[in-house]
Amino acid sequence: MVCSLVLAQVFVLNHIHLFGIATPLLYVYFVILFRRNYPQWAMMLWAFLMGLVIDTFSNTPGVSSGSLTLMAAVQPFVSRPFVPRDSADDLQPGVDTFGAGPYLLYAAIMTVLFCLVFFSLEMFSFFNLVEWAECVGGSSMLTLVLILVIDHVRGRQ
Amino acid sequence: MTTGRLGQVPKSVVCPLFPSCRMNNLTEFLAKYKHWFLFVLLEVCSLVLLFRFNNYQGSVWFTSANYVAGWAYEAGSELTSYLTMGKANEELTQRNVLLEQQVRELSARLYDKTHDPRYLKRGQYRFLEPFKLIPAKVVSSTLNKANNFITINKGSWDGVRKDMGVVCGNGVVGTVYLVGIHYSVIIPVLNSKSNISCSIQGRDYFGYLHWTSGPSSIAYLDDVPRHARFRIGDRVVTSGYSAIFPAGVLVGKVKHVYNSVDGLSFRIAVKLSTDFGNLRDVCVIDNASIRARKQVIEAAQDSIRSLAEESGGAE
């Protein structure tokens, strides 16, 4: 899955700029899907490596690795309120385990947070508040829609 | 003997310097919060990469000049290049025809003036002699960021070096920025850091070509003096005042004229002749003669400096 996410991001999604602002950053899905109680250090290391690979391909050193590592660090805290009681220790976030509403909220929080950090880092040198907000909003929406579509397809299989 | 001594070491960890100080608390603390230390470490790595990218040559490993990334992009662009080949071919042919006509016309005029038979045959080629052109293919490029980069499939093993000029069949492309072994990253005109000295053909007023994010076909020529006279549609070419491009490489045409912000000079909107959205084949200019000239100048500066230092030491 890691490989297909990277390939899709590098060859397809990085070239999408809907209305000149929205670029889907699908690889955050990788962090969203980490199981409950997965060792946190391993999670961060995975996220960092994934970000580094994406950075290497898209000439944005440090931007996605930094933001993805941050997402891996906060993922357990974001997912904790949504985990149902008496569920398995290695629960994987998903529509079937969380329920549709809570999962949507969880994915939305993760995506928006990621886009926020990502574009803040990327636009560090030429800060334009309106453009920044547009990029964060547009990209979060697009990413979220993609994540839900992929979840739907995976759920059917 | 040794094993016997090792066996006597107590199970709790003891600090080697001060045997009375037990390290349990410290190791427990480290073990408990190890993921936060890792987190800080990884974030610091990311930020170092982020902030040093612009002036750190070693970062070539984490850009698309990296061998693996370059290879993957090359494979991808080879697939897509077939789709756009027809149009590129057409453009090149048209331009070739135009240039051939121009060459014929100009050498005929030169022959009329000088009656030197050399101009009938190899007049134009004389000017290209000092330049070695390294053909390369674009393997990845962007158009819609504030700082765009282009990756080409030639690197230091093919003779590409930092700060060489890059042109394509239709005009100027940019300058080489990072050089890997097999791939290089170019700063194209479409980058806010790009800064190419250009002049208006036939009038010799010059200025610096800049690009502010926006359409990929328009760049701005700054610092053109207010007394300059030119017309809309005049050709803008490289001035040859730098060690990067020879004089006369086409950049674009004058599209519009504005006043600069301080009102002291003109700011010319230039319609770029290079189509950056459809760039496949480029040439890196190995400008040996200009580099040799630069070395001579540097050597002269060095010798003057040593003289100055000697006289400074004598005082």
Side-chain angles (χ1 to χ4, degrees):
Chain A
M1 189 185 88
V2 181
C3 209
S4 55
L5 270 184
V6 170
L7 287 180
Q9 184 67 38
V10 168
F11 284 109
V12 184
L13 303 179
N14 268 351
H15 299 281
I16 298 176
H17 297 273
L18 205 61
F19 311 116
I21 50 167
T23 304
L25 304 169
L26 186 65
Y27 50 96
V28 70
Y29 191 52
F30 176 61
V31 171
I32 287 183
L33 284 189
F34 267 116
R35 288 176 182 280
R36 188 181 170 197
N37 291 336
Y38 195 82
Q40 214 174 0
W41 62 271
M43 211 153 101
M44 284 185 219
L45 214 55
W46 273 115
F48 179 76
L49 289 179
M50 173 106 175
L52 203 61
V53 171
I54 301 271
D55 278 339
T56 304
F57 276 100
S58 47
N59 278 335
T60 52
V63 178
S64 51
S65 55
S67 37
L68 211 59
T69 312
L70 184 72
M71 292 321 291
V74 301
Q75 195 256 8
F77 303 104
V78 177
S79 68
R80 194 169 295 160
F82 299 106
V83 177
R85 269 179 211 167
D86 55 287
S87 52
D89 270 348
D90 59 344
L91 184 80
Q92 185 173 38
V95 179
D96 47 338
T97 53
F98 277 23
Y103 179 71
L104 179 66
L105 192 59
Y106 163 67
I109 292 175
M110 290 292 284
T111 316
V112 171
L113 209 59
F114 176 69
C115 290
L116 202 78
V117 178
F118 182 89
F119 285 105
S120 307
L121 280 181
E122 200 197 17
M123 297 186 176
F124 218 96
S125 53
F126 46 100
F127 210 80
N128 179 345
L129 210 61
V130 177
E131 194 192 334
W132 173 77
E134 280 173 351
C135 278
V136 172
S139 303
S140 315
M141 296 258 278
L142 207 57
T143 312
L144 195 58
V145 167
L146 262 179
I147 287 177
L148 294 181
V149 167
I150 290 178
D151 257 340
H152 189 69
V153 172
R154 281 175 37 143
R156 275 188 176 178
Q157 283 169 357
Chain B
M1 206 44 198
T2 331
T3 47
R5 281 179 66 190
L6 273 179
Q8 286 165 10
V9 173
K11 274 181 185 164
S12 62
V13 188
V14 175
C15 170
L17 291 178
F18 308 100
S20 59
C21 145
R22 295 164 70 84
M23 290 179 74
N24 272 350
N25 286 344
L26 182 60
T27 46
E28 259 175 34
F29 175 76
L30 286 179
K32 195 174 174 192
Y33 294 105
K34 63 174 183 287
H35 54 277
W36 290 117
F37 290 111
L38 183 69
F39 173 67
V40 171
L41 182 78
L42 293 179
E43 288 293 343
V44 168
C45 286
S46 307
L47 291 181
V48 166
L49 281 177
L50 176 64
F51 289 112
R52 302 197 100 182
F53 176 53
N54 291 325
N55 47 16
Y56 184 47
Q57 292 296 306
S59 69
V60 68
W61 294 108
F62 290 109
T63 66
S64 50
N66 169 326
Y67 184 77
V68 179
W71 174 82
Y73 271 134
E74 188 173 11
S77 80
E78 257 179 26
L79 272 179
T80 51
S81 69
Y82 287 105
L83 302 174
T84 50
M85 211 174 248
K87 196 172 169 244
N89 221 341
E90 203 174 298
E91 269 178 30
L92 286 177
T93 318
Q94 272 179 2
R95 184 151 171 76
N96 207 9
V97 170
L98 272 176
L99 286 177
E100 268 180 13
Q101 276 178 346
Q102 200 178 354
V103 166
R104 208 176 302 138
E105 193 184 320
L106 287 178
S107 30
R109 206 181 290 172
L110 213 53
Y111 179 72
D112 283 346
K113 284 254 161 77
T114 58
H115 292 284
D116 183 347
R118 275 187 311 166
Y119 287 115
L120 274 184
K121 287 206 171 152
R122 43 187 203 97
Q124 282 291 308
Y125 292 104
R126 267 187 337 160
F127 303 114
L128 280 175
E129 234 166 338
F131 312 127
K132 188 181 140 209
L133 298 177
I134 305 168
K137 280 209 189 320
V138 172
V139 294
S140 107
S141 67
T142 55
L143 286 178
N144 34 37
K145 299 184 184 167
N147 286 316
N148 296 297
F149 291 98
I150 292 178
T151 313
I152 60 169
N153 68 348
K154 288 287 152 77
S156 54
W157 281 16
D158 307 289
V160 178
R161 275 176 232 180
K162 191 175 187 290
D163 290 334
M164 280 183 174
V166 182
V167 296
C168 74
N170 287 339
V172 72
V173 173
T175 49
V176 176
Y177 176 52
L178 294 172
V179 183
I181 295 175
H182 296 294
Y183 297 92
S184 323
V185 173
I186 295 169
I187 292 192
V189 175
L190 306 185
N191 186 309
S192 61
K193 293 194 181 64
S194 159
N195 189 13
I196 297 174
S197 171
C198 295
S199 63
I200 298 165
Q201 197 176 37
R203 320 233 177 197
D204 289 343
Y205 295 110
F206 69 96
Y208 290 94
L209 193 71
H210 291 130
W211 183 75
T212 48
S213 52
S216 63
S217 59
I218 307 284
Y220 293 93
L221 192 62
D222 289 321
D223 302 338
V224 179
R226 286 197 76 90
H227 59 266
R229 288 285 164 268
F230 49 84
R231 262 176 276 155
I232 305 262
D234 273 359
R235 292 152 71 92
V236 176
V237 296
T238 56
S239 66
Y241 292 158
S242 67
I244 296 174
F245 290 104
V249 178
L250 183 62
V251 173
K253 286 183 176 170
V254 175
K255 186 162 187 273
H256 206 285
V257 183
Y258 304 96
N259 285 321
S260 68
V261 180
D262 54 10
L264 295 176
S265 54
F266 283 136
R267 179 162 214 242
I268 299 175
V270 179
K271 170 110 179 57
L272 297 173
S273 61
T274 307
D275 180 3
F276 282 93
N278 187 18
L279 202 58
R280 291 285 165 209
D281 295 279
V282 296
C283 278
V284 183
I285 303 175
D286 185 356
N287 206 336
S289 69
I290 292 186
R291 209 167 55 228
R293 203 164 67 202
K294 201 174 152 202
Q295 274 169 357
V296 170
I297 291 174
E298 273 168 8
Q301 278 170 344
D302 276 352
S303 63
I304 289 174
R305 196 180 305 142
S306 65
L307 274 180
E309 273 165 12
E310 272 171 25
S311 64
E315 276 170 12

